[in-house]
Amino acid sequence: MSQAPVTRFAPSPSGHLHVGGARTALFCWAYAKGRGGKFILRIEDTDQKRSSGAASVGFLKDLAWLGIDWDEGPEHAGHGGGTHGPYFQSERLDLYNRILGELVEAGKAYYAFDTAEELEARRAEAKAAGRAYRYDGSSQMALPKDEVERRLAAGMPAVIRLKCPPQPITIKDEILGEATLPAGEVDDFVLRKADGFPTYHFAVVVDDELMGVTHVLRAQEHFNNTTKHMLLQDALGYRRPTYGHFSIITNPDGSKMSKRDKDKLLRKTVVERALAAPPAGTVAQARWDAWLSDKNTQLDFEEANALADALGIQLPEINVDDFRRSGYLPEVICNFLSLNGWSPGGDVEKFDMQFMKERFDLKRVVKTPAKFDRAKLLNFNCDAITGMPREEFVGRARAHGREFHPQFMAKLTDAQFELLAGASHERSKTLDELFRVNRFLVTADDALAWERTKNVEKVMAGAEPNGVTHVRALASVFEGVSDWQPAALEAAIGAYAASATEGNLGKVAQPLRVAVSGGTVSPPIFDTLAILGKASTLERMRRCLQAFGG
Ligand code: GLU
């Protein structure tokens, strides 16, 4: 009987979890969990310049939110633990050093003292002679042992390199197929850097072996690294795991999905609107100037979000956390992501994690890049939201609001929020939408301003009786409404419409909507008025009449 698979997701925490990484994690998870195996999470934080503790925690949070639970790995919110830790590579240095020592002792790896200048000179020399550069370690390997020790004791910077035997190497990849690299193509690569930290190549091979990983499933960018890993496995006497490399996820135009996409949209909007100064409370003036004068500078996460908010635009989501903020459901993200590069067949598109792990198979993973279709994702999300029970939507929207719109939430009572969420349920594509389109609800009455668009003018002005007429008349009707609830409001407005507009409710509802919201979009009007309350409604109507000269 073959052993249950052990897979791992091994992110380098240099930022937020990218959707591409999330899909790799999802596929690794599904492969193992659907076969009674184990899924390990390991944090590859040996690149001191690029790693950060906060980013690691962000990764854990993102994975947990998606419902990708790891059997072993860093502990977080009930996930993780395990006997193969620590799961942060930066905490495994002693182990790496011990194994490196053994490798050097066995003559399979060696210290190299070449300086950066020497290496550069040799590279330049090869280039000038029209030769491909290959590292030549013969002078370093020839150093007598006591000389090596003397140099190390003197604190001379040194790396450790693997002696790579000149032999062809064949990679068997479950997704991409077989490829053979001719002999002599792999240089004696570095296993430990001069700063004492292992390279990615060394740590990944050691950890996959020691953690019992049977299937290395990862992004295609690592395909070429595999030959190095195989040579190292041979030198260490390790097993060969099964390999599979996933193609990348791109924008529909084939470009890389990167956080630059956000920056590009912000710049474009700022230029189009000819904004000379940053909107208040978004980006400091000095940062703004530096940003606009240099295309390579990017705003940080908070700045970009604040600016997008002030500009009223939505940035393209790239990282898992972006999608969460935008109000996508984790189960929809997982479903949709899995279709980027895989399909269960039989035209099935909507499914849950249980189905996913039962059906996921490397044979149906495609080799070509997957194009990320945002419109389709939004449709999936909309279907999931409108298909869920009302109470569930209210609960999830409330949790989203508490996290991302605390000021909005603070201005509404529970009952008001319930009314709003209930009224928004059927028209919501995301959990975030109701907060964005209903800002007028939490605007102070005396700060509400009216859009003077053609649509608004059409609703309010024109031959009498016009919008202004109806708002004025309804203001007195409302004075007499004591039970300020949707049903009583519907009765009062219905009675007014019956006499004033031959029962045409739209003719009355739209001016009312403009009066209390400032624009032409709101939840159903009776709910909107009930949420606002009587005092606010009347005050807004009064100010509206003033604004429109009524
Ligand atoms: N740490 C690597 C990365 O984030 C992945 C390594 C691997 O899966 O082998 O790209």
Side-chain angles (χ1 to χ4, degrees):
M1 204 182 90
S2 70
Q3 187 200 351
V6 177
T7 62
R8 80 325 188 253
F9 177 53
S12 306
S14 51
H16 293 274
L17 178 59
H18 187 275
V19 281
R23 188 201 53 179
T24 299
L26 179 63
F27 284 177
C28 289
W29 173 90
Y31 189 85
K33 303 305 279 180
R35 291 167 177 75
K38 226 168 37 176
F39 172 61
I40 299 179
L41 174 62
R42 181 175 73 227
I43 306 292
E44 303 207 326
D45 57 349
T46 56
D47 186 341
Q48 289 293 288
K49 284 192 283 300
R50 293 174 63 227
S51 302
S52 92
S56 308
V57 176
F59 271 65
L60 306 185
K61 227 172 94 183
D62 291 339
L63 287 172
W65 178 73
L66 287 171
I68 301 174
D69 52 334
W70 53 102
D71 301 293
E72 285 191 29
E75 294 188 30
H76 172 83
H79 303 283
T83 51
H84 298 92
Y87 295 94
F88 284 88
Q89 285 187 331
S90 60
E91 294 171 18
R92 298 170 66 82
L93 299 188
D94 289 349
L95 184 102
Y96 300 138
N97 284 331
R98 181 174 57 70
I99 296 171
L100 278 162
E102 288 164 9
L103 213 48
V104 172
E105 200 53 40
K108 294 179 174 172
Y110 58 93
Y111 282 96
F113 297 88
D114 317 273
T115 63
E117 295 72 36
E118 283 165 352
L119 292 174
E120 194 41 54
R122 278 187 246 159
R123 241 182 237 117
E125 203 181 307
K127 195 172 169 204
R131 274 186 282 118
Y133 171 74
R134 294 244 160 280
Y135 175 79
D136 176 2
S138 46
S139 64
Q140 305 298 313
M141 280 186 271
L143 289 174
K145 199 170 173 209
D146 55 355
E147 173 61 11
V148 170
E149 271 157 19
R150 189 192 64 75
R151 291 186 183 192
L152 290 175
M156 277 178 76
V159 301
I160 296 178
R161 290 179 180 268
L162 182 73
K163 252 184 224 172
C164 289
Q167 64 184 50
I169 312 156
T170 299
I171 312 176
K172 289 197 182 82
D173 188 287
E174 294 296 306
I175 297 161
L176 301 176
E178 223 177 86
T180 299
L181 195 71
E185 290 287 315
V186 183
D187 276 354
D188 288 357
F189 58 95
V190 176
L191 304 177
R192 191 176 77 184
K193 296 170 279 185
D195 66 4
F197 278 80
T199 56
Y200 153 65
H201 302 302
F202 181 73
V204 83
V205 165
V206 168
D207 288 347
D208 284 342
E209 166 76 14
L210 298 189
M211 294 180 181
V213 171
T214 60
H215 290 67
V216 171
L217 308 176
R218 60 187 172 193
Q220 217 176 73
E221 58 175 322
H222 293 295
F223 181 73
N224 288 337
N225 292 329
T226 308
T227 47
K228 289 194 171 90
H229 301 174
M230 291 165 69
L231 286 175
L232 186 53
Q233 283 152 4
D234 292 348
L236 288 163
Y238 289 173
R239 305 151 307 144
R240 183 91 72 229
T242 300
Y243 283 103
H245 289 85
F246 305 123
S247 66
I248 62 166
I249 301 181
T250 68
N251 286 314
D253 66 1
S255 62
K256 203 173 150 205
M257 278 179 82
S258 93
K259 63 179 185 197
R260 285 213 165 269
D261 298 349
K262 298 185 192 181
D263 209 67
K264 274 192 216 146
L265 180 64
L266 285 170
R267 283 177 194 276
K268 188 167 154 265
T269 313
V270 164
V271 170
E272 271 168 11
R273 301 196 190 165
L275 281 193
T282 56
V283 183
Q285 185 72 50
R287 284 279 293 156
W288 173 269
D289 294 339
W291 177 59
L292 285 182
S293 63
D294 176 9
K295 279 211 160 55
N296 293 321
T297 308
Q298 285 188 44
L299 295 177
D300 67 30
F301 187 68
E302 300 301 335
E303 291 169 326
N305 283 337
L307 183 56
D309 236 24
L311 296 173
I313 57 171
Q314 239 191 310
L315 297 178
E317 298 87 356
I318 307 291
N319 297 321
V320 168
D321 195 49
D322 299 333
F323 288 95
R324 196 163 72 90
R325 272 172 192 268
S326 290
Y328 286 90
L329 307 173
E331 64 270 31
V332 170
I333 299 277
C334 285
N335 179 178
F336 180 76
L337 273 183
S338 70
L339 295 174
N340 278 263
W342 175 77
S343 69
D347 285 339
V348 183
E349 282 210 307
K350 303 265 177 75
F351 43 81
D352 60 12
M353 297 285 267
Q354 180 63 28
F355 178 95
M356 165 94 202
K357 69 183 187 192
E358 279 165 14
R359 300 289 286 274
F360 183 74
D361 192 350
L362 296 176
K363 286 194 194 72
R364 296 191 65 89
V365 172
V366 300
K367 294 181 191 172
T368 46
K371 298 211 154 123
F372 196 80
D373 182 347
R374 289 179 186 277
K376 182 165 177 171
L377 170 62
L378 193 59
N379 281 337
F380 270 41
N381 208 56
C382 180
D383 290 349
I385 282 184
T386 51
M388 70 175 64
R390 183 171 176 267
E391 304 72 59
E392 182 182 341
F393 175 72
V394 175
R396 292 176 80 163
R398 179 183 282 123
H400 183 82
R402 286 193 177 138
E403 182 159 12
F404 297 110
H405 303 280
Q407 288 165 354
F408 188 110
M409 293 302 286
K411 294 219 169 87
L412 298 185
T413 62
D414 263 6
Q416 281 174 312
F417 182 75
E418 224 156 278
L419 208 51
L420 170 63
S424 309
H425 182 195
E426 282 178 9
R427 50 173 70 199
S428 289
K429 292 195 176 71
T430 68
L431 294 179
D432 201 65
E433 198 175 331
L434 78 90
F435 299 94
R436 276 184 288 112
V437 300
N438 293 310
R439 287 204 178 129
F440 72 91
L441 285 175
V442 295
T443 303
D445 295 336
D446 60 1
L448 188 71
W450 283 269
E451 293 168 11
R452 303 307 287 243
T453 57
K454 262 206 195 116
N455 275 348
V456 167
E457 297 294 343
K458 205 168 114 203
V459 171
M460 298 309 284
E464 294 196 16
N466 56 23
V468 170
T469 319
H470 296 312
V471 170
R472 193 186 311 112
L474 279 166
S476 19
V477 171
F478 288 167
E479 293 288 356
V481 176
S482 51
D483 176 24
W484 199 260
Q485 294 300 324
L489 287 163
E490 184 168 1
I493 296 169
Y496 171 78
S499 67
T501 62
E502 294 172 345
N504 185 338
L505 205 59
K507 279 208 167 142
V508 185
Q510 205 56 355
L512 261 180
R513 178 168 282 123
V514 168
V516 301
S517 76
T520 52
V521 185
S522 85
I525 192 67
F526 314 120
D527 297 310
T528 305
L529 300 183
I531 295 163
L532 277 171
K534 185 168 175 175
S536 266
T537 300
L538 288 175
E539 174 59 7
R540 289 172 183 222
M541 289 166 80
R542 189 188 65 73
R543 290 190 60 239
C544 168
L545 289 172
Q546 241 171 22
F548 287 88

